[in-house]
Amino acid sequence: MTLPVDGEKISGAQLYDAHCSTCHQPQGQGSFEGGLPSLLHNTAVGRSNPNNLVMVILDGVKRGAYGEDIRMQDFARNLSDQQVATLATYLTGHYGNADVKVSAAQVKVLRDGGPVSHLGALAQGAIALGVIVVILLVI
């Protein structure tokens, strides 16, 4: 199989073979002793919201299994936003929820810390309102 010259055009299957299949096995069945999870029916690839899967690809995982620390390396430095989107879409389509598509824009937002929360602005507004109320009560 010939890889495209443009790394942004590498297919999800090629990305899986290059970065995931060594640990998760060629068919996604996970490690033989069960320390590395199967991708088949895995909650990260089966959800309608792929954010957890994208973050696992970007940041990796550290977890305990059978009394051992098991780590999945992060791919944030190795894969572009488009490559992560292509890989995540391949994983959800092949092992989980085929209706889920991941875009490079979604990956960029998550790589940059996630969507902006409006709770911070609401909290600041509530504090300002509280200060005004206290000032009015004092007057």
Side-chain angles (χ1 to χ4, degrees), residues 37-89:
S38 169
L39 298 176
L40 301 166
H41 307 294
N42 185 298
T43 57
V45 297
R47 295 181 179 248
S48 59
N49 181 335
N51 289 356
N52 188 43
L53 174 61
V54 170
M55 291 310 299
V56 165
I57 295 169
L58 289 173
D59 290 344
V61 174
K62 179 185 176 208
R63 68 181 183 90
Y66 306 107
E68 296 181 37
D69 279 340
I70 306 241
R71 295 176 190 252
M72 179 183 130
Q73 77 173 65
D74 66 277
F75 292 97
R77 293 180 303 268
N78 302 42
L79 299 176
S80 70
D81 293 343
Q82 182 57 57
Q83 290 170 328
V84 171
T86 299
L87 177 59
T89 298

